[in-house]
Amino acid sequence: IKLECVQEAFSPLIREFLGCDVLQSEQVRITFAREDLLLPFMSRNDSIRKYIEPELQRRLSEMEEDDDIGTRVRSALTELLPLGKSRIEDVASKLCMSVRTLQRRLKEAQTSYQQQLGTTRMLQAKAYLLNGTSTSEEIAFLLAYEDTTAFLRAFNKWTGQSVGQFLKSIKE
């Protein structure tokens, strides 16, 4: 790694954190060795990606047909939730807008971020359950819940049923 930094004051901190020399420059620039680009991410999980990618792509293509702000937020959440990202800041960044602009556009559309997050999670939870291969723990993880109990409470609030009751009702 080669790092060029504008402010000399941060150089020792950056050098300690990254373990590389920091050069003074007119602009901030990080240069990686070409061979580093070929290394896999440490958090990479191909089995989860292969499992969820086809469903995410299908949903994204459906959502892209309708380009209103609610749809764009749900589309972004569909990509971000499995990565553990559920904050409005994550979605605003994904949509290339400020949090305030996103909030204003959602308000103009008579909705809110929390409504869109809840709707996206509910739709995805039902889809995962209908698929029949995911446990409640896995679904909670894929929907960026802190723990399984929070997911189970939310599911009951959305549907008026426990996960078990929901699964039983779809089998009948």
Side-chain angles (χ1 to χ4, degrees):
I1 297 175
K2 176 180 162 187
L3 179 66
E4 298 177 30
C5 187
V6 178
Q7 290 187 312
E8 190 173 350
F10 294 116
S11 295
L13 297 171
I14 295 169
R15 183 178 311 114
E16 182 181 336
F17 182 77
L18 293 177
C20 69
D21 289 330
V22 180
L23 308 172
Q24 284 303 120
S25 176
E26 298 286 322
Q27 59 186 348
V28 176
R29 181 172 41 203
I30 299 176
T31 307
F32 295 93
R34 186 173 303 275
E35 56 271 9
D36 290 340
L37 296 174
L38 302 174
L39 297 172
F41 284 103
M42 291 177 65
S43 62
R44 181 178 177 161
N45 188 327
D46 286 333
S47 60
I48 288 179
R49 184 183 59 78
K50 287 177 185 175
Y51 173 74
I52 63 175
E53 190 172 40
E55 180 66 15
L56 291 176
Q57 291 302 327
R58 183 186 67 77
R59 289 183 187 191
L60 285 173
S61 67
E62 286 176 1
M63 289 180 180
E64 288 170 358
E65 292 172 7
D66 182 10
D67 201 22
D68 69 25
I69 190 65
T71 302
R72 292 179 63 208
V73 167
R74 290 189 306 276
S75 178
L77 283 166
T78 299
E79 292 182 52
L80 294 170
L81 287 173
L83 303 175
K85 298 180 179 184
S86 63
R87 299 175 326 130
I88 191 169
E89 292 84 0
D90 299 321
V91 173
S93 175
K94 179 82 175 161
L95 298 177
C96 301
M97 63 179 73
S98 71
V99 170
R100 183 66 194 115
T101 299
L102 176 57
Q103 289 171 326
R104 187 177 61 252
R105 290 190 181 166
L106 288 167
K107 186 175 182 179
E108 288 168 0
Q110 299 178 336
T111 188
S112 70
Y113 178 74
Q114 288 303 316
Q115 287 174 314
Q116 296 304 316
L117 176 61
T119 298
T120 304
R121 282 177 160 169
M122 179 187 66
L123 294 171
Q124 287 188 324
K126 287 181 175 181
Y128 289 132
L129 289 168
L130 291 171
N131 189 15
T133 59
S134 300
T135 65
S136 294
E137 291 78 14
E138 291 167 334
I139 295 170
F141 173 79
L142 291 170
L143 298 180
Y145 278 97
E146 292 292 321
D147 58 54
T148 305
T149 305
F151 162 65
L152 295 173
R153 276 196 308 269
F155 189 84
N156 194 298
K157 183 179 174 184
W158 299 325
T159 64
Q161 298 176 306
S162 69
V163 169
Q165 291 168 329
F166 176 78
L167 290 171
K168 186 178 177 181
S169 71
I170 61 172
K171 291 179 182 177
E172 294 175 350

